[in-house]
Amino acid sequence: MAELADKQPSAEPNAFTAGCLLLLVLVADAAAGLLVAIVLVARGWNRMDAGSGRTAAGVPPPDWAPVLGFGALALALGVTAVVLLRIGHQVIGAVQLTLCVFLTVHTLRPWP
């Protein structure tokens, strides 16, 4: 019976597992950020091509694409942070939450 008491499963996550999870989450976030950047660059090129044929000098409508793109990315980071905090990975969740706050500030800065 003493053997069973010594081999109780620990509630704290393994450092290797936590490191791999952090790396996986950060790579996924980088891929999502790259996707948002590609979409915004493609929209910028499209707007530059469409603007060359205009003759009226009117004020262009506000562009909501950066706000929506970065807002969706910040929401995904926030949800991931909450899930990671709930399952017990406090350090990884805190990193995600910090990235979410920085991205939210970046999103709200150019609000039209």
Side-chain angles (χ1 to χ4, degrees), residues 9 13 19 22-23 25 30 36 45-46 50 52 57-58 61 65 68-69 75 92 98-99 104 106:
L22 176 62
L23 184 65
V25 167
V36 169
W45 282 339
N46 189 20
S52 62
L68 292 175
L75 181 65
I92 303 169
T98 304
L99 290 173
T104 302
H106 177 71

Side-chain angles (χ1 to χ4, degrees), residues 77-87 93 96-97:
L77 282 171
V79 169
T80 305
V82 169
V83 168
L84 287 170
L85 288 172
R86 296 283 292 174
I87 63 172
Q96 286 290 104
L97 202 57

Side-chain angles (χ1 to χ4, degrees), residues 1-10:
M1 285 298 200
E3 293 175 11
L4 291 176
D6 292 338
K7 293 187 178 184
Q8 291 179 353
S10 64

